[in-house]
């Protein structure tokens, strides 16, 4: 663990800062009050169950309260959202202003979750937040912006849309900019949009970059947007939680569904997230599990925002025990009760593994992660083991007992494929109908214009 300014010279020039920062002999006994958080926010922390600051919070909040820019690197599930939310809310209390802070997140689900954290922590001081993401109605978002929220949580693309198209909206009063999951923001090709946003917001501001993994792209962004930052690092570049038990299961590709069904039966009663590579595969697995009586709900990028939030809420509330998802669910989502993460498809990039398995063993809890390894995945597994610096253990399971399920699974696969084809046919027909309706509408408009032009000509002759 280290907490350091961006250079030794900067550290020496900030002599008061270092002295003011809590020293860590009894760091784990420190309270939020001890690290400078004001009373109203300490009470809010107690109400929502934050008993004591986590390591990233202990290391970064004192610097933030002194007005420094922060680069925060910490394991997923370590409390990064509160690490930037608490200093921002305290600064807002001291200097109330509309559109005080803007938080950019890579996914819509994460944006909603960050907003919930701000509203829970800021309820006692009257802080209001608005969420501006794609896939939702622009007009209702424009109305929300016209009410001048204190905190704006957004995805970069939709923020750019509003900056260009919403009359009277600007970020001139902005005092804080946060980029959460900064490496993911840049991996998703948001770079040009972020560059544009950086040009139109005040230079005199505080900037926080937070992520579980840092990349060279983030280093470039840091140079472009931060002033004399403090780098707060409470994990190695790639690391997983200490209480996370990590396993693999090795078998031929053709038995993949059978092993999944066996594992879900073994973990019956526990909550699990199953990660697959594509939207189609997520849908197929969800149908397969449901046909076998396993309560599963899909989450992927092709669903409408309402359906995505609905799926998340059903999983969070325990109405569904299994969430089958693409990597849209791998970043930042805080669902404390997840017991198991299954990598049905091993991710191609090792850091995506870090984020996926970070959905369990959060905030000091324990959890399990099981990766399915077929003859095609051995190299990917070895790469992950090299990156995280540990060998995965084999998950215990009797092959013969597992394969007894194969006949039932085969039938469930057949039913799932039939249902999947039916869904795809309905979607295709729906798109065709929508195209035809658009065409009819355009034709009727052009006919109306012709009639209108004809009437005008007739009128002028008369």
């Amino acid at each position: 663990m280290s907490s350091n300014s961006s250079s030794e010279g900067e550290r020496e020039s900030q002599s008061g800062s270092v002295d003011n920062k809590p020293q860590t002999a009894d760091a784990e006994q420190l309270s939020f009050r001890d690290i400078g958080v004001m009373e109203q926010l300490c009470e809010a922390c107690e109400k929502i169950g934050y008993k004591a600051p986590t390591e990233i919070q202990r290391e970064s909040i004192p610097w933030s309260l002194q007005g420094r820019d922060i680069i925060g690197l910490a394991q997923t599930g370590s409390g990064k959202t509160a690490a930037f939310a608490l200093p921002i809310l305290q600064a807002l209390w001291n200097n109330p202003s509309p559109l005080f802070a803007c938080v950019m997140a890579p996914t819509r689900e994460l944006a909603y979750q960050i907003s919930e954290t701000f509203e829970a922590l800021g309820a006692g001081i009257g802080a209001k937040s608005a969420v501006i993401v794609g896939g939702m109605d622009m007009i209702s978002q424009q109305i929300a912006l016209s009410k001048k929220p204190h905190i704006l949580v957004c995805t970069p693309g939709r923020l750019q849309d509003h900056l260009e198209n919403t009359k009277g909206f600007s970020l001139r009063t902005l005092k804080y900019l946060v980029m959460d999951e900064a490496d993911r923001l840049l991996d998703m090709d948001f770079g040009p949009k972020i560059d544009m946003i950086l040009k139109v917001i005040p230079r005199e501001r505080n900037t926080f970059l937070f992520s579980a993994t840092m990349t060279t792209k983030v280093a470039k962004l840091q140079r472009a947007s931060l002033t004399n930052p403090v780098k707060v690092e409470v994990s190695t570049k790639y690391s997983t939680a200490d209480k996370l038990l990590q396993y693999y299961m090795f078998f031929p590709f053709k038995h993949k569904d059978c092993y999944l069904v066996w594992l879900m039966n073994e973990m019956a009663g526990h909550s699990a997230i199953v990660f697959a590579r594509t939207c189609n595969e997520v849908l197929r697995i969800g149908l397969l599990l449901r046909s076998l009586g396993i309560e599963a709900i899909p989450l992927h990028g092709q669903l409408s925002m309402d359906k995505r939030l609905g799926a998340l809420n059903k999983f969070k509330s325990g109405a569904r025990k299994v969430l089958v998802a693409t990597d849209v669910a791998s970043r930042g989502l805080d669902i404390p009760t997840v017991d198991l993460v299954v990598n049905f498809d091993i991710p191609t990039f090792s850091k995506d593994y870090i984020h996926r398995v970070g959905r369990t063993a959060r905030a000091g809890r324990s959890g399990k992660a099981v990766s399915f390894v077929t003859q095609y995945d051995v190299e990917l597994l070895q790469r992950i083991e090299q990156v995280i610096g540990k060998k995965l253990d084999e998950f215990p399971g009797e092959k013969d007992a597992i394969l007894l399920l194969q006949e039932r699974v085969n039938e469930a696969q057949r039913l799932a494929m039939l249902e999947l084809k039916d869904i795809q046919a309905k979607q295709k027909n729906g798109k065709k109908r929508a195209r035809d309706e658009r065409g009819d509408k355009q034709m009727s408009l052009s006919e109306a214009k012709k009639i209108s032009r004809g009437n005008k000509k007739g009128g002028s002759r008369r």
Side-chain angles (χ1 to χ4, degrees):
M1 181 196 82
S2 67
S3 172
N4 54 299
S5 275
S6 48
S7 72
E8 290 293 326
E10 285 164 9
R11 255 202 313 274
E12 286 166 14
S13 70
Q14 299 286 333
S15 56
S17 299
V18 176
D19 291 339
N20 292 341
K21 183 174 169 291
Q23 299 305 309
T24 56
D26 297 314
E28 298 204 1
Q29 279 73 50
L30 290 172
S31 68
F32 284 103
R33 289 175 186 82
D34 294 329
I35 60 173
V37 177
M38 68 184 197
E39 191 61 36
Q40 292 93 325
L41 292 176
C42 289
E43 287 170 9
C45 288
E46 285 166 21
K47 272 184 192 168
I48 61 175
Y50 294 178
K51 294 182 177 65
T54 63
E55 197 172 3
I56 185 68
Q57 291 161 6
R58 289 196 304 267
E59 295 291 326
S60 68
I61 288 174
W63 290 113
S64 305
L65 293 174
Q66 290 172 25
R68 294 289 294 277
D69 286 359
I70 301 290
I71 303 161
L73 178 60
Q75 292 168 343
T76 187
S78 58
K80 292 194 294 293
T81 305
F84 60 74
L86 287 167
I88 288 171
L89 290 168
Q90 188 151 324
L92 176 65
W93 174 259
N94 294 328
N95 182 22
S97 163
L99 289 171
F100 186 78
C102 173
V103 184
M104 287 195 276
T107 66
R108 300 164 186 180
E109 289 83 1
L110 180 54
Y112 277 96
Q113 183 177 286
I114 291 167
S115 176
E116 285 169 9
T117 301
F118 268 102
E119 287 185 351
L121 289 170
I125 63 169
K128 292 183 183 131
S129 70
V131 181
I132 304 299
V133 297
M136 302 298 271
D137 178 51
M138 281 279 283
I139 293 168
S140 60
Q141 291 179 353
Q142 287 168 343
I143 293 166
L145 289 173
S146 71
K147 293 177 180 174
K148 304 289 184 194
H150 303 107
I151 314 294
L152 182 62
V153 190
C154 61
T155 48
R158 184 49 65 96
L159 177 61
Q160 184 188 22
D161 288 345
H162 281 288
L163 285 168
E164 289 174 351
N165 302 311
T166 298
K167 194 176 177 182
F169 171 62
S170 79
L171 295 173
R172 284 194 302 271
T173 58
L174 197 72
K175 300 292 189 295
Y176 283 85
L177 174 69
V178 182
M179 284 176 253
D180 194 21
E181 303 290 352
D183 58 327
R184 181 73 167 152
L185 277 171
L186 297 170
D187 285 348
M188 293 173 73
D189 297 325
F190 282 131
K193 292 179 173 66
I194 291 170
D195 289 340
M196 192 282 289
I197 292 161
L198 289 173
K199 284 174 188 169
V200 299
I201 60 175
R203 287 181 179 275
E204 294 296 315
R205 65 171 193 272
N206 284 105
T207 306
F208 300 156
L209 298 185
F210 278 86
S211 186
T213 51
M214 284 290 181
T215 63
T216 51
K217 286 182 183 177
V218 176
K220 286 178 189 171
L221 181 63
Q222 164 201 332
R223 288 195 292 275
S225 60
L226 277 76
T227 306
N228 187 24
V230 176
K231 188 174 183 186
V232 179
E233 190 170 347
V234 297
S235 68
T236 56
K237 189 179 179 188
Y238 297 104
S239 69
T240 51
D242 295 334
K243 291 188 178 179
L244 174 66
L245 302 171
Q246 299 175 75
Y247 301 97
Y248 72 91
M249 297 188 84
F250 184 64
F251 45 77
F253 179 82
K254 63 182 179 180
H255 296 319
K256 214 171 181 182
D257 287 347
C258 190
Y259 273 72
L260 178 64
V261 172
W262 175 84
L263 184 60
M264 292 297 99
N265 285 333
E266 283 292 297
M267 298 295 290
H270 294 84
S271 62
I273 302 179
V274 178
F275 283 104
R277 196 166 285 130
T278 66
C279 299
N280 250 10
E281 190 68 341
V282 163
L283 194 50
R284 187 193 70 80
I285 293 167
L287 294 169
L288 171 84
L289 293 176
R290 271 189 269 177
S291 72
L292 291 165
I294 296 166
E295 294 176 338
I297 192 161
L299 175 65
H300 56 76
Q302 288 178 5
L303 292 172
S304 70
M305 198 62 228
D306 286 340
K307 284 184 179 173
R308 283 159 72 168
L309 290 173
L312 264 181
N313 289 333
K314 280 181 183 174
F315 183 62
K316 279 184 177 180
S317 68
R320 294 286 185 277
K321 285 293 185 186
V322 179
L323 182 72
V324 188
T326 58
D327 278 319
V328 76
S330 71
R331 287 287 185 133
L333 293 183
D334 185 20
I335 306 167
T337 54
V338 177
D339 302 308
L340 172 70
V341 166
V342 180
N343 288 304
F344 184 82
D345 295 319
I346 288 196
T348 310
F349 300 106
S350 301
K351 71 173 183 178
D352 289 335
Y353 173 87
I354 311 277
H355 290 288
R356 284 182 180 187
V357 301
R359 297 314 98 214
T360 185
R362 295 178 73 79
R365 297 178 181 87
S366 59
K368 289 188 178 80
V370 180
S371 296
F372 284 2
V373 184
T374 71
Q375 65 269 37
Y376 308 115
D377 306 312
V378 175
E379 190 181 336
L380 290 174
L381 177 69
Q382 289 170 341
R383 210 181 295 162
I384 287 165
E385 288 178 333
Q386 190 175 1
V387 163
I388 64 174
K390 63 172 76 170
K391 290 276 184 190
L392 272 59
D393 298 319
E394 187 165 9
F395 192 81
E398 287 292 328
K399 182 183 172 184
D400 293 340
I402 294 168
L403 294 181
L404 286 174
L405 294 166
Q406 189 66 61
E407 199 174 323
R408 281 180 63 209
V409 170
N410 289 344
E411 178 60 15
Q413 284 172 326
R414 189 182 68 79
L415 294 171
M417 286 308 296
L418 287 172
E419 201 171 339
L420 184 60
K421 282 177 185 172
D422 190 39
I423 290 167
Q424 288 169 338
K426 283 177 183 171
Q427 286 173 342
K428 198 173 179 181
N429 290 337
K431 284 176 185 174
K432 185 176 183 299
R433 267 200 307 275
R435 278 198 304 271
D436 291 345
E437 283 168 10
R438 279 199 300 273
D440 291 344
K441 196 174 179 183
Q442 284 167 351
M443 280 177 68
S444 61
L445 281 169
S446 62
E447 284 168 9
K449 283 176 184 174
K450 281 178 188 174
I451 292 165
S452 174
R453 281 199 295 270
N455 288 341
K456 281 178 184 174
K457 283 178 185 175
S460 63
R461 277 198 296 273
R462 280 197 297 273

